[in-house]
């Protein structure tokens, strides 16, 4: 099992949600982390939005990896969201995004943060994996795809 699968849980996978903007997507992610990890939604939202203001976290091919550092978080946490309709995300290829892999890390987890991001970028650069993330309709199947990649 890879490092990312260790911080993703099936309960943090949302499929085909309806949001119309980055802001709404981040609000959904913040609510998810508040409900499942006990991290304040405003802290999550502010962290994701602050990082996004520095530059888009979109990778291209309809995928983005919003991430943020969270004070007092003891372990990294992750979520996967597939949007019902792609939204603008300032991607390098100008393609709208409907796959969001959200990563939260402790404020001081610099090396671990970079390792997880590098692993995610490698996984999400695989065209076959992206196609499966678009088509699988079961949260468990999405989780197992990440666990095996």
């Amino acid at each position: 099992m890879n490092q990312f699968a260790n911080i993703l849980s099936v309960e943090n996978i949302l499929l085909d949600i309806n949001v119309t903007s980055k802001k709404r997507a981040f609000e959904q992610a913040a609510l998810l982390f508040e409900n499942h990890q006990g991290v304040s939604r405003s802290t999550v939202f502010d962290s994701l939005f602050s990082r996004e203001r520095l530059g888009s976290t979109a990778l291209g091919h309809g995928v983005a990896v919003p991430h943020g550092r969270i004070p007092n978080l003891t372990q990294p946490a992750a979520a996967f969201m597939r949007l019902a309709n792609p939204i603008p995300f300032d991607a390098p290829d100008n393609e709208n995004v409907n796959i969001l892999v959200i990563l939260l890390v402790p404020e001081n987890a610099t090396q671990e943060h970079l390792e997880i991001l590098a692993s995610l970028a490698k996984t999400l650069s695989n065209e076959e994996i992206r196609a499966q993330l678009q088509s699988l309709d079961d949260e468990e199947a999405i989780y197992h795809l990440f666990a095996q990649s």
Side-chain angles (χ1 to χ4, degrees), residues 79-99:
F80 173 89
M81 292 173 33
R82 184 173 67 207
L83 309 181
N85 299 296
I87 59 173
F89 226 88
D90 302 317
D93 61 0
N94 295 315
E95 202 175 305
N96 286 350
V97 165
N98 79 320
I99 297 287

Side-chain angles (χ1 to χ4, degrees), residues 1-14:
M1 185 170 300
N2 68 31
Q3 193 175 16
F4 181 70
N6 287 331
I7 63 170
L8 177 68
S9 64
V10 173
E11 69 184 2
N12 274 12
I13 297 174
L14 296 177

